[in-house]
Amino acid sequence: MDEDEFAAVYAQAYEPLLGYVLRRCGSVDDAADIVAETFTIAWRRAAEVPGGDQAQLWLFGTARRVLANHRRGERRHLLKTAALRSELEAMSGAVPGPEDAAPVGRVFRELAEADREVLTLVAWEGLGVAEIATVLGCSRNAVSIRLYRARRRFARRLRAAGVDTPYPAAPAGRLGRAERAAS
């Protein structure tokens, strides 16, 4: 099948195929994806697509299989989402949520995203400067500067919120996993 034949099959079969899929699919976006995938398969397997009216029937059969794969994928997604949701609910006591009204949490959420990112990479993920530089794709020096400035802004905002910090800010060059293992 050459390009002109494929274009003719597409023009003839697109609307009936879209209607077929829309009646079997819950979402217009999903239906569009399924029809696009069906025509992609037809293009890749053009030598197998029969001519004439049989082409449309072949496309319906292909769309039926693509739709079945889509439904299986949706079921897997729902199962994984449910499992993740229950896991997160079990952990919800350990991780403060957005409703956390503690002054420290409130001040932390008010920081700029860049500051929160670098601070959480140190405090929650346990990464050192070199590791953070790899994650962020920047130099160790840039990370040290960002971390120093983020800690100062956080401490300043904590003081403004009336939160006493009994300890001075941690040093900017905190050892990462690899550095701790080497020492």
Side-chain angles (χ1 to χ4, degrees):
M1 176 181 291
D2 64 13
E3 285 185 43
D4 293 334
E5 292 171 323
F6 185 83
V9 167
Y10 180 87
Q12 176 192 9
Y14 177 77
E15 285 186 29
L17 187 64
L18 181 59
Y20 172 83
V21 173
L22 279 170
R23 286 185 288 278
R24 288 158 178 79
C25 194
S27 157
V28 174
D29 291 334
D30 289 345
D33 290 344
I34 291 165
V35 170
E37 178 66 19
T38 301
F39 279 108
T40 300
I41 292 168
W43 178 254
R44 282 192 312 243
R45 299 173 66 186
E48 298 175 32
V49 178
D53 292 337
Q54 294 297 313
Q56 185 170 333
L57 298 176
W58 187 92
L59 287 168
F60 280 172
T62 302
R64 182 176 166 271
R65 289 185 289 282
V66 171
L67 190 56
N69 286 340
H70 176 75
R71 287 181 181 144
R72 279 192 296 276
E74 278 185 329
R75 279 192 300 273
R76 280 192 306 270
H77 176 74
L78 288 173
L79 289 172
K80 288 180 180 181
T81 301
L84 178 60
R85 185 173 289 120
S86 65
E87 183 179 324
L88 290 174
E89 285 172 2
M91 293 175 52
S92 66
V95 179
E99 68 282 348
D100 179 19
V104 174
R106 194 174 53 254
V107 169
F108 183 77
R109 283 189 304 281
E110 292 170 357
L111 289 173
E113 173 63 28
D115 287 348
R116 287 194 316 266
E117 179 180 40
V118 73
L119 290 172
T120 57
L121 286 171
V122 167
W124 295 346
E125 310 309 330
L127 301 181
V129 171
E131 294 163 324
I132 295 170
T134 301
V135 169
L136 299 180
C138 60
S139 71
R140 291 171 64 147
N141 190 46
V143 170
S144 294
I145 292 168
R146 280 182 61 184
L147 188 55
Y148 174 78
R149 289 177 179 168
R151 284 178 172 151
R152 287 192 56 198
R153 282 189 283 266
F154 189 36
R156 199 174 317 124
R157 288 185 178 198
L158 284 172
R159 280 191 301 279
V163 178
D164 290 328
T165 54
Y167 303 105
R174 181 169 177 231
L175 294 179
R177 288 184 190 124
E179 292 142 334
R180 285 191 300 266
S183 60

